[in-house]
Amino acid sequence: MERESAPAGDKTPRSARVIRAWRSRMGLTQEALAQALNVTFSTVSRWENGHVVPSKLAWRALQNLAAERGCPLDDPDGSEPSS
């Protein structure tokens, strides 16, 4: 699987790009994703803008939601999604 690389000069963490791209593929708003994960809208916004990296627990919740919806979410460290 080919990895998406950041544009030159983009300092956004990979996790932020992964979450935003996945949410967009799923057709979810930041508010809908926040509600599904029982976090605040501002938390999702901070994740996607690279101000905060999701905790391991939050990342696990994201992966579980992705699995439930049948659309895998890449790991933020660049490894392949787990099956």
Side-chain angles (χ1 to χ4, degrees):
M1 179 173 185
E2 211 173 293
R3 293 281 165 217
E4 171 190 343
S5 59
D10 185 359
K11 305 251 188 245
T12 307
R14 184 175 186 284
S15 61
R17 294 188 311 272
V18 167
I19 293 168
R20 182 176 304 216
W22 177 83
R23 181 182 58 77
S24 179
R25 280 194 319 269
M26 295 304 301
L28 295 170
T29 63
Q30 287 182 335
E31 188 173 314
L33 178 57
Q35 195 170 37
L37 295 173
N38 200 29
V39 298
T40 65
F41 161 83
S42 62
T43 296
V44 173
S45 179
R46 287 191 304 256
W47 290 343
E48 290 189 4
N49 289 314
H51 297 293
V52 176
V53 175
S55 67
K56 288 181 182 182
L57 184 61
W59 193 257
R60 201 168 316 136
L62 279 161
Q63 288 179 315
N64 288 340
L65 179 62
E68 287 172 14
R69 301 215 174 195
C71 185
L73 182 66
D74 292 335
D75 285 325
D77 65 5
S79 62
E80 291 297 316
S82 55
S83 11

